[in-house]
Amino acid sequence: MDDLILNVDFGAPEPRPQKEPGNRKHQRFVRRRRELERRGVLRQKQLPAKPGRRSRPKPRRCPKENGTAAATTTGKARGGGAGGAPPVSQPRKGRGDGTGGAPPVSQPRKARGAGAGGAPPVSQPRKAPGAGAGGAPPVSQPRKARGAGAGGAPPVSQPRKGRGAAPGAPPVPPKLVAMDCEMVGTGPGGRTSALARCSIVSYGGDVMYDRYVRPEAPIVDYRTRWSGIRRQHMDGAVPFRRAQREVLRLLAGKVVVGHAIHNDFKALRYCHPRALTRDTAQIPLLNRRAGFPENVAVSLKRLTKALLNQDIQVGKSGHSSVEDARATMELYKLVEDEWEQHLQQNPEQK
């Protein structure tokens, strides 16, 4: 039988390469944690579950930090070493941790108002606005209305002046104005009427606007006998466009009283709302009181003489638009209540 020769090497075996323990930062972290565990500051490192019962850890969603979303971790703790060593389970790092890399002690979240010792604050009801220093809830009080007195008493309900008047109610005096215009002739033969003077008075007869107006077209006929306009009046007259803007600004939202006022609006190149127009030439109550037929347009001069016993538009100097506007307002006041009540009952006549 041939001899069996075995090539067996009885020398010392080669040492198995050891796994790199990790980087220096991780080593410092492990040494620091062991020191804290020895002192009793931190809990002992939890042992891993027994083989066979180890369950797959559920992914935990971390909140955003410093504006960037943290990655979903599956058991990897923050601050783990780059060498792949399993990190120690740590609670969320709170504010005020040391810079030495030591993990913070797991503590409950500090509530607002807790003392320096970390004791949880006593649950207190939310302090209502106006509560006293002792935290007692304020007595429920009704909301203070605008304009209430210092004692909190509700103000007396009053109708708002001007715009706040109830729909359909008679217009209040501040919203009433009377207007009259004087015209001159322009164009071929002076047959085209152009605005040369405009006057507006308040409910009490005070002058709100009175200006001579320079027409855009050359004046052919001044019509001085009726208008009272002369050449010298045009020296200080305002341009038509400027006068138009000023007049329309005054008439906006107001009830305008006038006699045959559609002629004045035509000269202004303006159309006022019909519901805010009161034409004394179209009010049958005035004709009835003066003894004239209701369906006849009576001149302002005759109505003023019959109802107010005043003489207007006399002499050869021509008409005064301020005088005519005041007379128109006085005529309207004579039948104001009856006429406004009639318009409320017959809104189609506005």
Side-chain angles (χ1 to χ4, degrees), residues 12-20:
E14 295 182 1
R16 181 178 298 179
Q18 296 182 357
K19 191 176 182 180
E20 187 179 354

Side-chain angles (χ1 to χ4, degrees), residues 292-311:
F292 301 115
E294 294 184 3
N295 57 348
V296 175
V298 184
S299 66
L300 179 63
K301 180 177 181 178
R302 296 176 65 189
L303 281 175
T304 304
K305 181 62 177 178
L307 296 176
L308 302 177
N309 196 24
Q310 295 179 5
D311 294 321

Side-chain angles (χ1 to χ4, degrees), residues 27-319:
Q27 293 174 4
R28 288 197 304 269
F29 167 76
V30 173
R31 289 197 300 270
R32 180 64 177 169
R33 179 173 179 82
R34 289 176 181 173
E35 179 66 20
L36 292 175
E37 289 177 356
R38 187 181 63 79
R39 295 179 184 178
V41 177
L42 294 179
R43 295 179 300 176
Q44 292 293 332
K45 181 178 178 182
Q46 297 180 356
L47 297 177
K50 293 183 179 181
R53 295 185 180 181
R54 184 175 182 180
S55 58
R56 186 177 181 181
K58 296 182 179 180
R60 181 169 58 89
R61 197 175 188 85
C62 298
K64 295 181 179 180
E65 291 186 0
N66 299 330
T68 59
T72 302
T73 59
T74 57
K76 183 176 181 180
R78 298 180 185 178
V88 181
S89 175
Q90 298 175 359
R92 184 178 180 183
K93 185 175 181 180
R95 297 182 181 178
D97 292 338
T99 58
V105 182
S106 176
Q107 297 178 353
R109 188 175 182 181
K110 186 174 180 181
R112 295 183 181 178
V122 181
S123 177
Q124 298 178 353
R126 187 177 181 181
K127 187 174 180 181
V139 181
S140 177
Q141 298 178 353
R143 187 176 181 181
K144 187 174 181 181
R146 295 184 181 178
V156 181
S157 178
Q158 298 178 353
R160 188 178 177 184
K161 188 174 182 181
R163 294 184 180 179
V172 292
K175 294 193 67 175
L176 280 162
V177 296
M179 182 179 70
D180 188 78
C181 299
E182 302 296 341
M183 273 72 80
V184 293
T186 60
R191 291 187 295 269
T192 304
S193 296
L195 181 66
R197 184 182 180 185
C198 181
S199 300
I200 302 175
V201 299
S202 65
Y203 187 82
D206 299 325
V207 177
M208 300 174 62
Y209 187 87
D210 184 26
R211 292 285 184 89
Y212 288 100
V213 182
R214 185 185 305 110
E216 294 180 327
I219 300 176
V220 178
D221 186 1
Y222 283 91
R223 304 178 184 176
T224 306
R225 179 180 175 184
W226 299 277
S227 65
I229 305 297
R230 291 174 172 79
R231 186 183 299 272
Q232 58 267 25
H233 292 149
M234 294 294 103
D235 295 338
V238 298
F240 171 78
R241 293 296 180 182
R242 175 183 168 187
Q244 185 187 46
R245 290 194 302 268
E246 295 171 350
V247 171
L248 299 189
R249 191 179 300 115
L250 288 173
L251 300 184
K254 292 184 174 61
V255 177
V256 183
V257 182
H259 195 82
I261 197 170
H262 61 278
N263 294 324
D264 301 330
F265 288 147
K266 184 178 179 180
L268 278 167
R269 302 177 191 174
Y270 169 67
C271 184
H272 199 65
R274 186 178 179 184
L276 299 179
T277 304
R278 304 292 184 267
D279 193 343
T280 53
Q282 303 293 332
I283 299 180
L285 290 174
L286 289 174
N287 290 16
R288 192 183 310 160
R289 286 197 178 190
F292 301 115
E294 294 184 3
N295 57 348
V296 175
V298 184
S299 66
L300 179 63
K301 180 177 181 178
R302 296 176 65 189
L303 281 175
T304 304
K305 181 62 177 178
L307 296 176
L308 302 177
N309 196 24
Q310 295 179 5
D311 294 321
I312 62 172
Q313 301 176 356
V314 294
K316 297 181 179 181
S317 59
H319 302 175

Side-chain angles (χ1 to χ4, degrees), residues 317-347:
S317 59
H319 302 175
S320 170
S321 53
V322 173
E323 183 182 50
D324 291 351
R326 286 172 174 166
T328 304
M329 181 62 80
E330 293 302 321
L331 289 174
Y332 169 77
K333 289 180 182 179
L334 291 177
V335 294
E336 178 180 3
D337 295 336
E338 298 175 64
W339 183 242
E340 293 298 335
Q341 185 178 5
H342 174 75
L343 292 179
Q344 292 179 30
Q345 298 173 356
N346 303 273

